[in-house]
Amino acid sequence: MRKKLTFIPLSLGLATGIVLCTLKPSLADEEQVIVPESVTTGIGEKLSTLSCLFLNLAPSLFQAEQTIPQEKKPSQEPLQLLPEIASVKSCQSKNLGMDQQLWGEFGQLGDKQALLRAIDQSLRYLQTPTAAAAYQRYRVPGITRERVLRSLVRFRQLLVTSASAAELEAAVKREFVFYQSVGKEGKGDVLFTAYYEPVYAASRVPTPEYRYPIYRRPPDLDSWRKPHPTRQQLEGDDGLQASQGKLRGLELFWLRDRLEAYIPHIQGSARLRLTDGTETTVNYDGNTAYSYTSLGRSLADDGKLPLESITFPLILEYFHEHPGDLNIYVPRDRSFVFFRENPGGKATGSINVPLTASRSIATDKSLMPPGALALIRAPLPFKNASGVLEEHTISRYVLDQDTGGAIKGPGRVDYFLGTGPEAGERAGVTVSHGQLYYLLLKE
């Protein structure tokens, strides 16, 4: 599907996330997004009655007689086993599981090797004691660590030997079953946002130019009395007072700009170009027990920016023109994130493996199987040959390797888009509704 982008989100990474939308200014809360009604149509209709055009608008309709309950009961599992998945030859790329990006799609090179690397990272995780403990607690019947591991091994074999997207799709539907997330309110609808790894200049020591610190995890964080100190109590209104309190001596790096030091709290990681010419990475290593409060929402609530047209670049422009206002709005976010250095490493997910651009997702790990093979279907932005972002509905095989403070419930997915400005540009306009599935070998 191709259409002009109309959704304006701010996706906020491993630590947190918000979403804004241009379709209607009356956004009730940060998790509400208005989408065309056809996108969230129930999945109980027969595929044979639908045209390819309608499939393009309603990507959830790929099951032959499956109905997810209309209201999610407290005892309902977050994933439901689906019957056999249908395919329609005349629809080709609209079929669930037809991941053409593996061989190249929308002007991008094929990324089969990237998916293989992501699979290998999950396989490594699944053989650790941490994974064994996580799956002992996992509550969905039939989804075990052993089955997830065997499924990844077999999918990897199929990926290596398949010569086309259609061949891989056919093999997957022959050997695997699909578990669909019940989504928001049990209707199968999942809200997708995206995050990325920003790149900033930084110093290991404070200087007149590099004044704004980010912090390592306090060794006694687990014993801090709740409610935890707020951001304002920890670092002051100007972000420079932490040396007077509980964070004294925990400074990890210093950055040049208050906003640059704050954005890693949102995205969950950052790549730092140091003053000695080297590079390093910092990754999320814990946070205080507060929910995130978004800059965009606060600016809109105060009438500083129009809610119906807020974008991340617009927020950056606002604070460039009003730098003093950072001391007003950043402290309103009471949450605070801590980091660890990962020299020479990449952005790392909550299961402690490197994330892979366009092949790693973040979900609520209290509900979803860590490290597992998943498949997403949703509209996402891509740059065309002219450098303009266009939205296409895609089907992607991904690995569930991360989580996030605002990624709660079965109806949320954050999609990792990589490192640097272009990834950030795409992440800044990613918001859509789609579906999330997990693939396991048939028993």
Side-chain angles (χ1 to χ4, degrees):
M1 178 171 65
R2 179 176 295 180
K3 60 184 179 181
K4 183 179 179 181
L5 288 171
T6 56
F7 300 117
I8 308 296
L10 301 177
S11 172
L12 303 173
L14 179 148
T16 47
I18 63 168
V19 178
L20 299 175
C21 175
T22 61
L23 294 183
K24 291 188 179 180
S26 57
L27 194 62
D29 58 60
E30 292 172 359
E31 289 296 310
Q32 178 185 358
V33 177
I34 308 301
V35 296
E37 189 170 320
S38 59
V39 174
T40 56
T41 302
I43 59 175
E45 299 181 40
K46 289 189 176 182
L47 190 63
S48 60
T49 65
L50 303 175
S51 66
C52 289
L53 175 62
F54 186 69
L55 284 173
N56 196 26
L57 295 174
S60 63
L61 300 183
F62 282 84
Q63 293 77 37
E65 281 286 349
Q66 175 67 13
T67 302
I68 287 180
Q70 294 301 300
E71 294 186 2
K72 184 177 183 294
K73 299 178 181 179
S75 61
Q76 184 181 7
E77 302 296 353
L79 300 174
Q80 289 197 342
L81 177 63
L82 298 182
E84 185 174 352
I85 304 299
S87 297
V88 178
K89 292 183 179 180
S90 61
C91 290
Q92 289 299 317
S93 64
K94 310 309 174 190
N95 285 336
L96 185 66
M98 180 72 78
D99 186 346
Q100 293 180 315
Q101 177 55 35
L102 291 166
W103 283 266
E105 186 179 37
F106 308 135
Q108 297 188 336
L109 296 176
D111 66 346
K112 181 187 287 191
Q113 291 303 314
L115 181 55
L116 287 169
R117 289 194 300 271
I119 291 170
D120 290 343
Q121 297 293 352
S122 276
L123 288 172
R124 180 165 63 86
Y125 160 76
L126 288 165
Q127 297 175 73
T128 64
T130 301
Y135 276 91
Q136 283 180 350
R137 299 187 299 268
Y138 194 65
R139 72 189 201 193
V140 177
I143 300 183
T144 65
R145 180 176 68 99
E146 293 75 15
R147 189 180 180 195
V148 170
L149 198 154
R150 286 189 291 105
S151 299
L152 268 181
V153 170
R154 179 55 180 158
F155 179 83
R156 193 186 194 284
Q157 294 170 343
L158 294 174
L159 179 60
V160 169
T161 58
S162 295
S164 68
E167 184 178 333
L168 178 62
E169 177 209 7
V172 165
K173 290 177 179 175
R174 184 172 59 248
E175 298 190 28
F176 287 74
V177 292
F178 287 60
Y179 287 77
Q180 184 176 2
S181 170
V182 298
K184 187 177 181 181
E185 298 179 351
K187 298 178 181 179
D189 177 51
V190 174
L191 175 62
F192 286 81
T193 51
Y195 64 114
Y196 76 111
E197 181 186 47
V199 180
Y200 296 126
S203 172
R204 290 189 181 274
V205 296
T207 71
E209 181 180 6
Y210 295 92
R211 299 190 300 143
Y212 296 94
I214 58 175
Y215 299 87
R216 62 175 53 88
R217 180 188 178 98
D220 60 345
L221 178 63
D222 292 339
S223 63
W224 279 16
R225 181 178 297 178
K226 293 182 180 180
H228 286 164
T230 65
R231 176 179 296 276
Q232 191 277 335
Q233 291 169 334
L234 286 172
E235 65 174 6
D237 288 334
D238 61 0
L240 297 172
Q241 308 306 314
S243 62
Q244 309 302 315
K246 293 176 76 68
L247 300 185
R248 182 176 182 177
L250 296 176
E251 295 88 351
L252 189 58
F253 291 99
W254 281 260
L255 288 85
R256 293 179 297 189
D257 178 86
R258 176 84 192 276
L259 194 56
E260 288 184 355
Y262 173 66
I263 288 176
H265 288 242
I266 299 171
Q267 298 298 334
S269 67
R271 185 166 298 179
L272 303 180
R273 293 174 176 165
L274 302 179
T275 53
D276 63 3
T278 62
E279 284 194 3
T280 191
T281 297
V282 291
N283 291 316
Y284 172 89
D285 196 25
N287 65 286
T288 55
Y290 290 104
S291 298
Y292 169 74
T293 300
S294 74
L295 294 180
R297 166 61 64 180
S298 294
L299 289 168
D301 287 346
D302 287 355
K304 301 292 186 178
L305 294 175
L307 177 61
E308 64 274 11
S309 60
I310 283 183
T311 64
F312 193 53
L314 186 61
I315 291 174
L316 295 180
E317 180 181 348
Y318 176 86
F319 285 119
H320 178 75
E321 296 175 355
H322 307 88
D325 282 5
L326 283 167
N327 297 346
I328 298 173
Y329 290 100
V330 172
R332 290 188 186 180
D333 177 18
R334 297 184 297 172
S335 66
F336 200 90
V337 173
F338 305 104
F339 299 91
R340 66 180 183 275
E341 183 180 3
N342 184 16
K346 298 181 179 180
T348 300
S350 62
I351 65 170
N352 202 31
V353 301
L355 301 174
T356 302
S358 300
R359 296 296 174 180
S360 296
I361 61 171
T363 65
D364 185 340
K365 288 298 175 292
S366 69
L367 301 174
M368 302 303 170
L373 174 66
L375 189 141
I376 61 173
R377 184 171 175 81
L380 294 172
F382 296 85
K383 277 191 174 181
N384 63 19
S386 301
V388 177
L389 287 173
E390 296 178 337
E391 194 173 76
H392 302 267
T393 295
I394 57 90
S395 181
R396 288 283 184 275
Y397 294 109
V398 295
L399 284 303
D400 194 337
Q401 298 173 330
D402 204 358
T403 191
I407 309 303
K408 300 298 185 183
R412 286 290 279 114
V413 168
D414 221 7
Y415 185 48
F416 182 67
L417 288 178
T419 300
E422 183 172 338
E425 183 180 358
R426 290 182 63 206
V429 290
T430 297
V431 59
S432 60
H433 282 203
Q435 290 74 41
L436 169 66
Y437 306 85
Y438 290 85
L439 283 69
L440 291 117
L441 281 170
K442 293 179 179 178
E443 292 185 309

